[in-house]
Amino acid sequence: MSEEPPVIVGERFVDAVAMATRLHARQARKGSAIPYVSHLLAVAGLVLEHGGDEDQAIAALLHDGPEDQGGEATLAEIGERFGPRVEAIVSACSDTFTTPKPPWQARKDAYIAHLIALTPAEGADIWPVSLADKVHNARTIVSDLRERGPLTLDRFTGGRAGTVWYYRTLAGHLSELLPGPLSDELTRLVAEMGTLSAQ
């Protein structure tokens, strides 16, 4: 009689899927009718595919919750339900909790500065979630650029130049902080993003 396989994700992960779905139920991906939760599920999948654990996958599901839906109150709820490690990862993957949001460039500069200032121990928790998030976003942007051309970047607050700058800067840092197949993919996607945005 064979043994049961070990539980890799359990009821906490199921609870996080439910919470992410509830938080983002009325939200679509920017410039589309695609449910926003599709992005969160994809990011969690990338985290798990590249060696992340349940806490990191849960944080991936919830990483946009506080920023988009409720600020620090939502972050506190995440901490209460899933623990301080998940809360810390989600906090580090957010660039603001205030509404209205501060100016775009200042937010992105601060996010990048925070990401590269993490200690290796902190980064081991946070960098994989941030990288998976950026890879899935970059995949979507490049796919839209192939289909619709550079006008697709005009829907982003940073515009064409700002969006390419942001992803190129992140790819450079994350390739050094967390080298591997996923950061290599981000580098390739950003190169194509730059080429397609200039056409």
Side-chain angles (χ1 to χ4, degrees), residues 21-155:
T21 303
R22 175 175 57 81
L23 285 172
H24 300 276
R26 299 182 181 277
Q27 189 177 353
R29 294 281 277 164
K30 190 174 288 190
S32 79
I34 298 169
Y36 195 83
V37 73
S38 67
H39 167 64
L40 306 173
L41 293 166
V43 175
L46 283 171
V47 167
L48 291 170
E49 287 168 19
H50 290 270
D53 60 26
E54 185 179 47
D55 274 356
Q56 289 170 310
I58 289 170
L61 288 167
L62 300 171
H63 75 274
D64 280 331
E67 188 172 326
D68 292 348
Q69 307 293 337
E72 292 185 1
T74 299
L75 182 64
E77 182 184 355
I78 289 168
E80 289 169 8
R81 290 175 67 170
F82 301 103
R85 184 176 176 230
V86 171
E87 182 179 6
I89 297 170
V90 171
S91 179
C93 289
S94 306
D95 65 19
T96 186
F97 299 126
T98 61
T99 303
K101 294 181 177 182
W104 183 87
Q105 187 69 50
R107 283 189 287 120
K108 299 310 177 188
D109 284 339
Y111 179 80
I112 292 166
H114 175 69
L115 205 63
I116 62 179
L118 295 169
T119 67
E122 293 167 333
D125 271 357
I126 294 159
W127 294 328
V129 180
S130 178
L131 177 57
D133 174 39
K134 299 309 179 269
V135 165
H136 187 255
N137 281 338
R139 284 179 182 176
T140 303
I141 292 168
V142 168
S143 177
D144 287 349
L145 283 167
R146 289 173 186 154
E147 185 177 338
R148 302 186 189 95
L151 286 175
T152 192
L153 293 179
D154 292 345
R155 70 179 187 260

